[in-house]
Amino acid sequence: MQSTATELFKDSQSHIYNWTFQWIKQLGLDNQGTHFVNSIVLLLLVVLFLIIIDYFTKRTLLLLTIKAIRRSTNRFDDLLIRNKTLKLIAHFVPILVAQYIMPIIFMGFPTWKENSNKILDIATTVVSLLIIHSLLKSLRDMLRMKKSFADKPLESYLQVCQIILLFIGGTICFSILTGKSPWSFLLSLGAASAILMLVFKDTILGFVASIQVSANDSIRVGDWIEMPKYGADGTVKEINLNNVKVQNFDKTITTIPTHTLLSDSFKNYRGMQQSGGRRLKRAINIKISTIRFLENEEIERLKNIQILRPYIEERAKTIDEFNTERQIDQASPINGRKMTNLGLFRAYTLTYLRQNPYIHKAMPLMVRQLASTEHGVPVELYFFVNDIRWEYYEGIVSDVFDHLFAATKYFDLEIFENPASDDFRQVIRQQTVMTSQTNSNKSELKVLSDQ
């Protein structure tokens, strides 16, 4: 029965081809031209027919399965739809139809008929590999939902599977095109592997590095990276097999070998960009000679600073209770606990940053005193600006330090700076004036003594 059906199908193919052949032959073409035009016309009709079949197959398959999937509590079938597994399966229908129809089109061209069969076999292989890849992606997404696999490098495992699928698919396609066994291709590839590794050493290193960089998600196009060894400080524009192109902020292009991303260290600012906050860590050096205890009158004067008043009142109460409980003799300022102008300046700075609308409140914020150096006492500000755009970030930081530099004078503090030429001139000028006054006084005394 099956052989009879096949023979009937072949007869119908012959009738269709002969009918279109006779119809086109009326145009006055020779046999060869008629066969060619006939094949082109039939090919266009078949392509249109296959597109229609593919469209309705996908629609029908999705309509039949989506209702059942929505009723199901299993998440895996939802992932199959998201990763387009069902759409890929639907592609098999037009491919199977094409395998039966193609002999009609190229009946007058046996060579084309054979090549079309190879193309369809390759298409079948490619679709099969795409379906397997889609299933693996769905499995990866399913495992990501489990706590036991939350911290596992599932993406790297998928990358390895992709390489294996590409190798298998390439071997099968090569075997189909050449008509040789896949084993002969593998054997010839093994014999030439030593030469290939020597010639394509950098390419292989770049290929391995690309896989690992992709698997670890250590760098993406659009990331801001900094790699001082190669003078790179800017945005990644392109990641190739052999190099990574970085556009620096001065608009120059730096090319970095891909494999160096594994052997050398680099800084990626993606975490900062995704967090929504950009860190600042900078110190103000206070002159040590200007640090001192505050008198009560000075404390009362500083209460006029609105944002500092609650802190001063609470701090004064705590200090008074401490000194009273321990019966501290406050005749000497060094006894007990006292407020200092530097301590109040740190408290003011911290309160000012907390009330600043451009400072990220959900991220670390502190004002701390570092170890003193020959440049004074560093008061370090550590906070995050809530605008990561470079130009806005620099403007906000400048406004903060402009304000704090001006505020130090209200606490009788001075910012350390190395003496400039004007400072030396002023000292020399003062010494000259003092010397002249001394000489003048000596002259007057000598005159008086002579009289």
Side-chain angles (χ1 to χ4, degrees):
M1 291 291 293
Q2 186 175 0
S3 61
T4 306
T6 304
E7 291 176 358
L8 290 174
F9 182 76
K10 290 182 178 180
D11 291 338
S12 63
Q13 287 181 335
S14 301
H15 288 306
I16 294 173
Y17 187 86
N18 291 331
W19 181 79
T20 54
F21 181 83
Q22 295 298 330
W23 180 74
I24 295 173
K25 194 174 182 179
Q26 296 177 2
L27 299 175
L29 300 174
D30 57 0
N31 288 337
Q32 187 68 21
T34 305
H35 281 295
F36 179 79
V37 175
N38 190 23
S39 298
I40 296 299
V41 171
L42 290 175
L43 179 61
L44 294 175
L45 293 175
V46 167
V47 169
L48 179 62
F49 180 63
L50 293 177
I51 292 173
I52 295 172
I53 290 178
D54 184 69
Y55 174 78
F56 282 104
T57 303
K58 286 189 292 186
R59 295 286 297 178
T60 305
L61 185 60
L62 290 175
L63 289 174
L64 292 175
T65 55
I66 286 178
K67 291 183 179 180
I69 288 174
R70 287 177 178 174
R71 295 173 186 173
S72 173
T73 57
N74 190 1
R75 298 292 302 276
F76 187 72
D77 45 16
D78 297 329
L79 296 174
L80 292 177
I81 294 179
R82 183 191 304 174
N83 292 311
K84 302 179 180 180
T85 307
L86 298 178
K87 289 184 178 181
L88 292 172
I89 294 175
H91 290 324
F92 272 123
V93 176
I95 291 176
L96 293 174
V97 173
Q99 288 178 344
Y100 283 99
I101 297 179
M102 281 301 174
I104 303 176
I105 301 174
F106 302 115
M107 187 172 292
F109 300 93
T111 304
W112 291 12
K113 180 180 177 181
E114 182 180 354
N115 293 333
S116 66
N117 290 332
K118 289 182 180 181
I119 293 173
L120 291 175
D121 291 338
I122 292 174
T124 304
T125 303
V126 171
V127 173
S128 301
L129 294 175
L130 289 175
I131 292 173
I132 296 174
H133 179 249
S134 177
L135 290 172
L136 291 174
K137 288 175 65 177
S138 301
L139 180 61
R140 176 204 61 188
D141 296 338
M142 187 69 182
L143 293 177
R144 278 179 176 174
M145 300 177 185
K146 299 183 181 296
K147 293 183 179 179
S148 57
F149 290 92
D151 56 345
K152 299 296 186 295
L154 298 176
E155 192 67 31
S156 62
Y157 301 151
L158 179 63
Q159 292 287 336
V160 173
C161 293
Q162 287 176 344
I163 295 172
I164 295 173
L165 288 176
L166 286 173
F167 182 76
I168 294 174
T171 303
I172 295 174
C173 292
F174 179 82
S175 176
I176 293 172
L177 289 173
T178 59
K180 296 181 180 180
S181 172
W183 297 110
S184 61
F185 171 72
L186 294 175
L187 290 174
S188 61
L189 185 64
S193 59
I195 300 175
L196 291 174
M197 291 181 65
L198 181 62
V199 175
F200 299 103
K201 176 185 174 183
D202 294 337
T203 304
I204 293 172
L205 288 174
F207 175 67
V208 175
S210 299
I211 295 172
Q212 294 191 10
V213 166
S214 176
N216 298 327
D217 197 21
S218 57
I219 187 172
R220 302 176 189 165
V221 174
D223 285 352
W224 169 18
I225 68 169
E226 183 179 350
M227 206 168 184
K229 181 178 179 180
Y230 295 94
D233 184 12
T235 305
V236 177
K237 290 297 182 182
E238 188 177 345
I239 302 176
N240 295 324
L241 192 62
N242 295 319
N243 55 63
V244 176
K245 292 183 180 179
V246 179
Q247 185 179 50
N248 301 314
F249 293 119
D250 59 357
K251 300 304 179 182
T252 58
I253 300 293
T254 299
T255 302
I256 304 171
T258 307
H259 63 85
T260 58
L261 298 176
L262 301 178
S263 58
D264 298 332
S265 62
F266 65 93
K267 184 184 291 186
N268 193 331
Y269 289 90
R270 188 200 312 159
M272 177 271 293
Q273 294 172 329
Q274 293 178 344
S275 67
R278 187 167 179 179
R279 190 193 74 169
L280 178 114
K281 183 181 178 184
R282 191 184 300 176
I284 300 175
N285 291 324
I286 301 297
K287 207 172 181 179
I288 297 178
S289 60
T290 62
I291 302 174
R292 60 183 178 81
F293 294 113
L294 293 175
E295 301 294 337
N296 291 332
E297 296 80 6
E298 293 175 317
I299 294 175
E300 290 299 323
R301 176 174 57 83
L302 290 173
K303 283 184 180 180
N304 294 327
I305 302 176
Q306 187 174 358
I307 64 173
L308 194 59
R309 177 187 289 271
Y311 174 82
I312 294 177
E313 293 176 349
E314 182 181 355
R315 186 69 174 170
K317 182 179 178 182
T318 303
I319 291 175
D320 290 340
E321 291 176 354
F322 178 87
N323 293 335
T324 303
E325 289 177 0
R326 290 163 177 76
Q327 298 180 356
I328 302 296
D329 182 11
Q330 301 185 27
S332 175
I334 201 171
N335 292 335
R337 298 174 64 180
K338 300 286 184 181
M339 292 189 196
T340 63
N341 55 352
L342 181 60
L344 287 185
F345 176 71
R346 287 191 292 106
Y348 170 79
T349 303
L350 184 60
T351 307
Y352 171 75
L353 293 177
R354 285 175 176 170
Q355 295 186 2
N356 193 315
Y358 301 106
I359 306 302
H360 207 300
K361 306 304 186 297
M363 293 185 175
L365 190 159
M366 62 179 174
V367 178
R368 60 176 182 171
Q369 184 183 128
L370 303 180
S372 59
T373 66
E374 68 274 13
H375 300 296
V377 178
V379 177
E380 185 182 74
L381 281 66
Y382 189 100
F383 61 89
F384 288 80
V385 177
N386 58 15
D387 197 326
I388 64 173
R389 293 173 295 179
W390 191 12
E391 60 274 22
Y392 293 92
Y393 165 83
E394 293 294 344
I396 293 168
V397 170
S398 299
D399 290 341
V400 168
F401 279 88
D402 288 347
H403 181 87
L404 294 177
F405 286 147
T408 54
K409 298 179 181 178
Y410 291 88
F411 296 87
D412 292 331
L413 293 169
E414 292 183 16
I415 297 174
F416 177 87
E417 58 181 346
N418 290 321
S421 57
D422 289 339
D423 299 322
F424 288 114
R425 292 192 188 99
Q426 186 176 359
V427 171
I428 294 172
R429 195 178 297 116
Q430 290 175 353
Q431 289 179 347
T432 303
V433 171
M434 292 176 62
T435 302
S436 62
Q437 289 178 351
T438 303
N439 294 333
S440 176
N441 292 333
K442 288 181 178 180
S443 300
E444 292 177 358
L445 290 173
K446 185 177 182 181
V447 171
L448 290 174
S449 64
D450 290 341
Q451 291 177 354

